[in-house]
Amino acid sequence: MPTEGKKIWGALILADESAEWRIAGVRQIARLVLEMNEYFGRAPEGRSIQVCICWTCDHSSQRGPLPQNKRLTHVQLTDDLERFSSKTREDGGVIVVVNTRLLVGRGGFDQILQASVEGTEVPALVVSASAVPHASALMSSLQSRLSTAKFAGSDRKWCYLSGREEINRAERVLFAGTAKSQDGVVSRFINRPISRSVSRLLSRLPLSPNHWTLIMATIPVGGSIFVMQGSYSGFALGAVLFQIHSTLDGCDGEIARAKYLESDLGAKLDGLCDRFSTLLYAVSLGIGLFHRPGAGSELRWIYPWEGIVAALLIGVSETWLSRKSLDDVAAESSRQDKMSPVYLETHRSTFNPGDQLKLWLINNSGVLFLGDRLTSLFSQLTKRDVFNFVFMLLALMGWPQGILHILAVCACAIAIVALKDVPAFRQSN
């Protein structure tokens, strides 16, 4: 093949009316460029490539502006085919040719290029630079491939759109790829199917993921108001609202991944709101149980203090550990437990970026000595989505004090294990 052993110099995007189709709120032509930018940004040398957008004669009147995005740091856009052609002939190498009817999910460009090298039938061409001037011939060759490249299977991250009627289906394919390997069992089978449907609708609105994160933060506030009433209906409705927050909280990440809008600020804001939700749950439960009808007057004052102490212990621990990365937490523990870095390396994909507290607890509690399977089970059962779902069931069964006791026990266990990391405690032992 002419592509073997040659570095990709550029890309040619053959645009027709589908270039202006908006899927999940992003123009098709912009999505292709963003995915190329991300692919070449991951290259070891972080190189930049030339991308030429060539409109077919039949649709040149529908030509829109070139994609403008501050994230496009590894592509140089042009619509001057003649200049692009002469430049490719000078520099040599090969180019990738795609059509705007190609919907590519995150990481889909990797699959397409790999399949092209292996000779697999894919909706893209990898050709020598000399073929660039013959755009019409390239379009014909590409269309012959597209006739067999219909909607993708579950293992593919791309699909071909034959018409506007397939946009809704395409969005479902796109959002199916926004799940995270860190999802727990509740998130995977209950939360994600719901949040994806909501995310599809939200993605069409001029709403950033960070805006949605802040909007979602109001749900725990509403839930805490119901919980503090102290009635069965208050506990039940409040727990349902906290579960709704846990479900819809995934929308901001799904929208960010579908629209190439991830940011460090978004990740920190999402983690902060999750922490706020947990702390508010503990404190409001304590107040609600204090006001619960029939609660013993001599013991009811314990509940507010239990909620406050649990919230403080969890809040301080998570805030302190969030300053370090997962790798930093594992490295610190590896001085005492050689299994820690091995476990992290094997199961890294199951940890969220904000799971420092969980990894720290695994490393310092000795649970690793129970074996890989039991440790993984412990990790799954302590995920936030599992906790919120179990808490809702406890509230519906009329045992809200069980929720507070679980939070308090977890908080105390974290505090006890934390003593192992306190220098003064280490020296005294």
Side-chain angles (χ1 to χ4, degrees):
M1 290 182 65
T3 62
E4 293 179 354
K6 293 187 177 182
K7 185 178 294 186
I8 295 175
W9 182 85
L12 178 62
I13 300 178
L14 303 176
D16 55 23
E17 76 277 6
S18 63
E20 298 303 320
W21 293 351
R22 286 189 174 270
I23 300 178
V26 180
R27 294 166 65 205
Q28 263 294 88
I29 195 167
R31 185 177 298 281
L32 283 170
V33 173
L34 284 165
E35 178 59 25
M36 290 179 183
N37 178 76
E38 191 168 271
Y39 172 81
F40 288 101
R42 289 195 299 268
E45 63 272 24
R47 60 195 178 93
S48 178
I49 67 163
Q50 299 282 330
V51 176
C52 180
I53 299 174
C54 177
W55 284 82
T56 60
C57 297
D58 295 339
H59 306 98
S60 58
S61 61
Q62 302 173 356
R63 179 180 306 185
L66 294 178
Q68 299 293 327
N69 193 305
K70 62 181 181 181
R71 294 173 179 262
L72 298 179
T73 56
H74 293 90
V75 297
Q76 300 174 21
L77 293 178
T78 181
D79 56 2
D80 190 335
L81 181 61
E82 183 177 348
R83 183 176 179 181
F84 176 78
S85 176
S86 62
K87 185 68 175 173
T88 55
R89 287 196 299 272
E90 291 176 7
D91 294 349
V94 297
I95 64 166
V96 181
V97 184
V98 296
N99 179 256
T100 51
R101 291 179 181 269
L102 175 64
L103 175 67
V104 184
R106 302 300 290 270
F109 204 63
D110 304 58
Q111 285 189 348
I112 290 172
L113 291 181
Q114 182 62 33
S116 299
V117 171
E118 295 174 354
T120 307
E121 193 75 11
V122 292
L125 298 172
V126 180
V127 299
S128 63
S130 59
V132 173
H134 311 290
S136 58
L138 290 174
M139 176 64 89
S140 299
S141 178
L142 196 58
Q143 287 176 335
S144 66
R145 286 195 174 195
L146 295 178
S147 62
T148 60
K150 295 302 180 181
F151 261 86
S154 58
D155 59 333
R156 290 182 179 175
K157 298 180 180 180
W158 53 266
C159 61
Y160 166 68
L161 308 176
S162 59
R164 279 183 173 274
E165 66 278 3
E166 293 184 330
I167 288 181
N168 286 333
R169 186 182 176 189
E171 287 184 339
R172 289 194 293 271
V173 171
L174 188 65
F175 278 101
T178 58
K180 297 191 296 184
S181 58
Q182 300 94 338
D183 287 345
V185 61
V186 173
S187 184
R188 189 177 300 115
F189 296 105
I190 298 177
N191 294 357
R192 285 295 178 192
I194 298 173
S195 64
R196 284 174 187 152
S197 299
V198 176
S199 295
R200 283 182 55 209
L201 299 176
L202 293 174
S203 66
R204 303 170 187 175
L205 303 176
L207 187 71
S208 74
N210 291 348
H211 291 154
W212 180 249
T213 300
L214 293 174
I215 292 173
M216 283 296 94
T218 62
I219 295 181
V221 174
S224 66
I225 293 174
F226 284 106
V227 169
M228 285 188 290
Q229 293 176 3
S231 62
Y232 169 80
S233 59
F235 286 124
L237 185 55
V240 169
L241 286 176
F242 276 100
Q243 170 59 22
I244 290 175
H245 173 261
S246 177
T247 300
L248 300 184
D249 183 53
C251 292
D252 52 2
E254 291 168 353
I255 295 171
R257 289 187 288 277
K259 301 177 75 169
Y260 297 83
L261 292 175
E262 299 101 321
S263 66
D264 292 337
L265 174 61
K268 292 178 181 178
L269 183 62
D270 185 52
L272 182 63
C273 289
D274 287 343
R275 197 175 309 145
F276 167 76
S277 173
T278 301
L279 305 188
L280 191 61
Y281 208 168
V283 173
S284 62
L285 275 168
I287 297 173
L289 289 168
F290 177 81
H291 292 115
R292 189 181 189 185
S297 57
E298 67 282 0
L299 296 176
R300 64 194 304 176
W301 61 269
I302 295 178
Y303 292 125
W305 284 109
E306 186 179 6
I308 292 172
V309 170
L312 285 174
L313 291 176
I314 295 174
V316 170
S317 300
E318 289 194 351
T319 301
W320 177 261
L321 287 169
S322 64
R323 302 185 309 167
K324 307 175 183 179
S325 68
L326 286 175
D327 294 324
D328 291 336
V329 175
E332 289 179 359
S333 298
S334 65
R335 295 192 299 266
Q336 301 174 357
D337 184 356
K338 297 302 182 183
M339 296 174 65
S340 302
V342 176
Y343 182 82
L344 178 61
E345 182 179 353
T346 306
H347 299 275
R348 181 59 191 272
S349 62
T350 66
F351 287 92
N352 285 303
D355 276 347
Q356 291 94 331
L357 176 59
K358 180 185 294 184
L359 180 60
W360 174 82
L361 186 60
I362 288 174
N363 286 335
N364 289 276
S365 64
V367 69
L368 282 166
F369 290 102
L370 297 177
D372 190 84
R373 290 186 178 181
L374 288 178
T375 302
S376 296
L377 178 62
F378 171 82
S379 179
Q380 286 293 323
L381 293 179
T382 53
K383 287 185 178 292
R384 197 182 300 268
D385 59 313
V386 176
F387 268 117
N388 277 287
F389 186 75
V390 171
F391 289 170
M392 181 183 69
L393 295 180
L394 290 174
L396 293 175
M397 290 188 297
W399 200 46
Q401 64 269 31
I403 304 173
L404 183 58
H405 295 336
I406 291 174
L407 287 171
V409 168
C410 291
C412 290
I414 293 170
I416 293 172
V417 176
L419 291 176
K420 295 175 64 176
D421 263 8
V422 177
F425 182 83
R426 285 178 179 174
Q427 294 173 2
S428 64
N429 288 274

